[in-house]
Amino acid sequence: MDTKEIAIKLSKKGLRVTPQRIAILSAIIKLDNHPTAENILEYINKEHPNISLGTVYKVLDSFIEANLLNKVKTESGKMRYDPLLTNHHHLYCGKTHRIVDYEDEKLDGLLLEYFNKKRIRNFKIQDIKLQITGTFKN
Amino acid sequence: MDTKEIAIKLSKKGLRVTPQRIAILSAIIKLDNHPTAENILEYINKEHPNISLGTVYKVLDSFIEANLLNKVKTESGKMRYDPLLTNHHHLYCGKTHRIVDYEDEKLDGLLLEYFNKKRIRNFKIQDIKLQITGTFKN
DNA sequence: ATAATTGCAAAAGCTTTGCATGGCC
DNA sequence: GGCCATGCAAAGCTTTTGCAATTAT
């Protein structure tokens, strides 16, 4: 995804287009690794040595506000950022702490069906996310 | 659960029995609310005004080490502590931030069966936890 | 006796905030 | 031009750490 496309994405969400925002959103998409704020800063500092960590956080917040990203909570308590907006789950690698998206419509259907039948007392479900922990084999 | 039972629980896990540890473990069980370290301190300070937050954290770590508790990661990044050791999932209330345990063997069976058939490429599953977000109705 | 635990205070992360400067629309 | 975003530094919060004093086994 090139600069122009990113700029359009920002505009469409009513966000001002700045070099910082373009760099940060590009980084998250390119890294494709659910990076932390720190990871993003490291990556963009190669090309934009002047962007500060504070700005990264502020930009990330504005992206979340605008529904361009979601936060992912981790074992360590550090937040990571996920640009995949469609419904999905996560695979957590216990060894490398890699987080990989897991999309599975059939599974979602199964869960939907299950919870349509078996209601939970006094609870209205909005969303179900699976945290699948394990290890990658290669 | 009274003091004696708690003391035995600690001993069995090879942990030294101290008033602090008894107070903290009792508090978590009585509160039954996946409390934070701060919540626990508030609760026990009524009876033990001298226990410090640092000690609470150290004791919680020793409990996790000994498999008496698990950590629960939350939206806000604060850790909460869960004394239920059998396999279970969590209901997250978006309004009150209440976390309630959800045990469902049938669901676990369904998931096991599903992932036995549909393997995930290059990934060995160790555990699956559902994060069910929504709201309580009452 | 001795090895582990506690309390206190300091420090360490990660994230947020304030405010003057600069840049986008 | 006006308002919003940025940079820098400071502050905030939760959690961890260090160490001397105390306590459990």
Side-chain angles (χ1 to χ4, degrees), chain B residues 24-38:
Chain B
I24 291 168
L25 189 50
S26 305
I28 296 169
I29 292 168
K30 273 205 202 95
L31 285 167
D32 189 28
N33 217 355
H34 306 81
T36 63
E38 194 76 44

Side-chain angles (χ1 to χ4, degrees), chain A residues 16-17 19 53 57-58 61 71 78-79:
Chain A
R16 285 198 179 174
V17 178
L53 190 55
Y57 278 109
K58 283 175 192 164
D61 279 352
K71 280 190 184 189
K78 280 187 215 174
M79 289 297 173

Side-chain angles (χ1 to χ4, degrees), chain A residues 20-49:
Chain A
Q20 291 86 347
R21 287 181 172 172
I22 290 171
I24 291 168
L25 188 51
S26 305
I28 296 169
I29 292 168
K30 273 205 201 94
L31 284 166
D32 188 29
N33 217 354
H34 306 81
T36 62
E38 195 76 45
N39 295 153
I40 294 164
L41 186 69
E42 275 172 38
Y43 185 85
I44 63 180
N45 263 352
K46 293 170 199 161
E47 303 239 338
H48 305 262

Side-chain angles (χ1 to χ4, degrees), chain B residues 16-131:
Chain B
R16 286 195 177 178
V17 178
T18 68
Q20 293 84 348
R21 285 181 174 171
I22 290 171
I24 291 168
L25 189 50
S26 305
I28 296 169
I29 292 168
K30 273 205 202 95
L31 285 167
D32 189 28
N33 217 355
H34 306 81
T36 63
E38 194 76 44
N39 295 152
I40 295 163
L41 186 69
E42 275 172 38
Y43 185 84
I44 63 180
N45 263 352
K46 294 171 198 159
E47 303 239 339
H48 305 263
N50 47 323
I51 298 180
S52 68
L53 190 55
T55 297
V56 173
Y57 278 108
K58 282 175 192 165
V59 167
L60 289 170
D61 279 352
S62 73
F63 287 177
I64 286 159
E65 194 71 23
N67 271 303
L68 278 170
L69 293 181
N70 288 304
K71 280 191 183 186
V72 181
K73 291 136 280 303
T74 64
E75 200 63 29
S76 67
K78 282 187 213 174
M79 289 298 174
R80 294 171 65 167
Y81 297 86
D82 187 349
L84 182 61
L85 298 170
T86 52
N87 193 52
H88 67 282
H89 308 282
H90 285 133
L91 308 178
Y92 291 80
C93 180
K95 283 188 188 161
T96 63
H97 302 114
R98 191 146 58 113
I99 298 174
V100 172
D101 296 319
Y102 180 71
E103 298 185 84
D104 188 336
E105 285 183 30
K106 206 172 141 206
L107 174 64
D108 295 336
L110 200 72
L111 290 170
L112 194 66
E113 193 191 346
Y114 182 82
F115 283 107
N116 263 342
K117 264 186 232 152
K118 180 178 178 56
R119 295 292 170 89
I120 300 172
R121 259 172 34 100
N122 295 327
F123 193 78
K124 182 151 179 275
I125 297 176
Q126 275 162 6
D127 188 44
I128 299 176
K129 290 264 177 283
L130 268 68
Q131 270 187 226

Side-chain angles (χ1 to χ4, degrees), chain A residues 61-79:
Chain A
D61 279 352
S62 72
F63 287 177
I64 286 160
E65 194 71 23
N67 270 303
L68 278 169
L69 292 181
N70 287 304
K71 280 190 184 189
V72 181
K73 289 139 281 301
T74 64
E75 199 64 28
S76 67
K78 280 187 215 174
M79 289 297 173

